[in-house]
Amino acid sequence: LMCLIMNVWLLLIPDWPDSPWCDGIEFDAITPDEQGKQLFFKDGFLWKGFRGPAQRVAESFSGIGHVDAAFRMHREDRTEDHDHVYLFQDEMVFRYFNQTLQDGFPKKVEQEFPGVPCHLDAAVECPKGECSADSVLFFKGSEVHHYDVATQTVKKKEWPEVPPCTSVLRWMEHYYCFQGNNFTRFHPVTGLVVGAYPKDARAYFMTCPNFGHGSGDHKLPLCSEVKLDAITSDDAGKTYFFTGPSYMRLDTSRDGKHAFPVTRMWPEVAGGVDAVFSYQDKMYFIKGDQVFIYLSGAHYSLIEGYPKTLQEELGVQGPVDAAFACPGDHTAHIIQGDQMKDVDLSATPRTVTKATTLRHAKVDSALCGPDGLKLFVGSSYYEYTATSELGAGQVERMPSPITPSMMACRRD
């Protein structure tokens, strides 16, 4: 009898594809788990990651059938809540950690989230810095319910530019509303949509045959072919490298390493950069003989009056090969050929205070952080503990190759 029941149960499982994105499935909910793996829900089924077989939701999350909405809580000041996964079904909410249902759950939605309606369409977390405080955005029809997790207060909004969402995804600090195969990227505070939307998700979120840059023959570059035009870390610990017209975040291992157009984050800087460095709460982009300065944050903003010329802003003439500033220091180190010029960023006007001849004839990019200094030359880098070690008369250092763990590249 049990064998018969199991056989019938297996027959009732739809023939779901292993690549649900490419097959155009409209998901009911999307959320990352505690490890950062994306979970995709449809009816009573679940995919873990962008590829792989479907399984019943109840196999991983006990007590729940279908999922209407889902999100992963961001609340670093409360470990009992942080990184827990919330799944919504009709009038109930379920809370899990490591796929284990937590004590006291399920609960009524209004019991856990006062003022939030039930029968939700979608939900997504919004950490402090991206929203004004740690928050959750709940979507139902044309309404967005902005829930402050600390004060348990709700503000109801309507965003005419954002269509009704069947699921919502926060990824790499950006927010995406999905409708079937299509998505619209929106600002989590204002609901502002910039650019031409909706777009087809299959051309952007994974490799799908015959869809945009997701064509099936796309390959990561060999690590020996990687060349960094610039690299920097801001005060929030976000590390970016730039190559050609693209950039990549290197400190978001849970979300993976993905390349995006520079203009996606810094729209005024088109066609690549020569050098980038961070100082206090600002990021300096050097391109040709111009300097663009952005206020750092979840969303970078160009300071009024910029760009300015290199001479006006830093007291040097171009071109510039690389630039860096060390944490807590007021000096920008500008590298041109085998020369490094030090500029005092605390002085007005800014002028060169020191020049050093380097042991490297050419440097592509440089990064200074708590663990020392790296100079990148081609597909290799050199490590130093201080800028005083960079002079031509100092001890020679052996280069290390760029590896897949550092960048999105593949071994030769």
Side-chain angles (χ1 to χ4, degrees):
L1 179 61
M2 285 301 298
C3 290
L4 177 61
I5 292 173
M6 287 298 296
N7 288 333
V8 171
W9 182 82
L10 289 171
L11 288 172
L12 292 175
I13 299 178
D15 187 21
W16 292 120
D18 287 349
S19 300
W21 279 101
C22 296
D23 285 85
I25 290 177
E26 179 178 276
F27 297 108
D28 298 328
I30 307 172
T31 186
D33 66 10
E34 302 86 350
Q35 307 304 317
K37 177 174 285 188
Q38 298 294 342
L39 306 178
F40 303 94
F41 299 89
K42 176 64 176 178
D43 296 335
F45 296 88
L46 162 68
W47 290 262
K48 295 180 178 181
F50 288 91
R51 292 186 183 276
Q55 61 180 252
R56 290 190 179 275
V57 172
E59 292 181 55
S60 295
F61 298 96
S62 62
I64 192 169
H66 69 274
V67 176
D68 299 326
F71 75 92
R72 182 184 67 190
M73 177 67 78
H74 184 95
R75 195 175 183 187
E76 293 180 335
D77 62 331
R78 285 177 59 92
T79 56
E80 63 268 34
D81 294 334
H82 185 61
D83 272 355
H84 285 60
V85 172
Y86 288 76
L87 304 182
F88 295 81
Q89 178 182 282
D90 301 328
E91 299 175 349
M92 307 302 291
V93 57
F94 300 69
R95 187 172 79 176
Y96 298 86
F97 190 74
N98 290 329
Q99 300 184 7
T100 300
L101 184 63
Q102 301 295 285
D103 291 343
F105 286 85
K107 296 180 180 178
K108 293 281 190 179
V109 172
E110 65 266 23
Q111 183 182 355
E112 183 70 6
F113 301 102
V116 173
C118 55
H119 298 280
L120 293 163
D121 294 326
V124 67
E125 72 278 8
C126 186
K128 182 179 180 180
E130 297 170 32
C131 284
S132 58
D134 286 337
S135 306
V136 183
L137 306 180
F138 294 100
F139 296 77
K140 184 169 183 176
S142 62
E143 296 178 348
V144 181
H145 301 259
H146 187 125
Y147 182 86
D148 186 311
V149 299
T151 63
Q152 295 187 324
T153 55
V154 180
K155 293 181 180 178
K156 188 167 68 173
K157 305 178 180 181
E158 291 200 9
W159 291 339
E161 295 183 37
V162 179
C165 308
T166 56
S167 58
V168 177
L169 172 65
R170 172 184 175 263
W171 188 56
M172 306 292 283
E173 300 178 348
H174 290 280
Y175 293 76
Y176 302 89
C177 165
F178 289 90
Q179 281 189 310
N181 299 332
N182 296 323
F183 73 93
T184 299
R185 181 158 67 92
F186 64 92
H187 193 286
V189 176
T190 64
L192 184 65
V193 174
V194 178
Y197 288 95
K199 296 179 179 179
D200 195 315
R202 293 170 290 184
Y204 291 88
F205 284 89
M206 70 172 296
T207 300
C208 291
N210 305 317
F211 282 95
H213 63 254
S215 60
D217 58 356
H218 173 74
K219 291 183 179 179
L220 292 174
L222 294 171
C223 292
S224 60
E225 298 173 346
V226 172
K227 176 183 175 296
L228 277 64
D229 295 328
I231 185 169
T232 191
S233 291
D234 67 12
D235 287 350
K238 302 172 187 175
T239 302
Y240 301 91
F241 87 73
F242 302 81
T243 179
S246 302
Y247 79 93
M248 183 178 294
R249 273 281 297 275
L250 300 183
D251 60 298
T252 54
S253 58
R254 292 207 306 186
D255 292 329
K257 297 183 176 72
H258 306 273
F260 298 99
V262 172
T263 50
R264 178 177 185 261
M265 187 77 77
W266 303 277
E268 295 82 5
V269 183
V273 298
D274 297 327
V276 181
F277 69 90
S278 299
Y279 173 63
Q280 296 180 339
D281 62 345
K282 302 177 182 67
M283 192 175 289
Y284 291 65
F285 287 76
I286 300 174
K287 181 178 175 61
D289 64 350
Q290 292 187 314
V291 180
F292 300 75
I293 303 182
Y294 288 82
L295 286 173
S296 298
H299 306 280
Y300 293 87
S301 57
L302 184 66
I303 294 178
E304 187 176 354
Y306 285 86
K308 294 183 179 180
T309 66
L310 260 172
Q311 182 65 48
E312 182 182 5
E313 183 63 32
L314 297 174
V316 299
Q317 298 285 343
V320 171
D321 295 320
F324 66 92
C326 296
D329 191 11
H330 299 290
T331 302
H333 304 275
I334 310 298
I335 299 176
Q336 300 173 301
D338 66 351
Q339 298 294 307
M340 182 173 73
K341 298 176 181 178
D342 294 352
V343 177
D344 185 353
L345 297 174
S346 65
T348 303
R350 292 168 174 172
T351 58
V352 175
T353 59
K354 180 182 177 182
T356 303
T357 299
L358 304 176
R359 63 174 305 102
H360 301 281
K362 178 77 163 59
V363 175
D364 295 321
S365 57
L367 177 67
C368 187
D371 57 346
L373 173 64
K374 291 183 175 70
L375 298 187
F376 291 84
V377 179
S379 60
S380 301
Y381 65 95
Y382 299 78
E383 291 189 275
Y384 300 89
T385 58
T387 56
S388 59
E389 300 174 351
L390 299 180
Q394 300 299 314
V395 177
E396 183 176 1
R397 301 298 174 91
M398 296 300 294
S400 298
I402 291 174
T403 64
S405 64
M406 298 171 62
M407 314 291 178
C409 61
R410 53 192 173 94
R411 296 187 186 278
D412 293 52

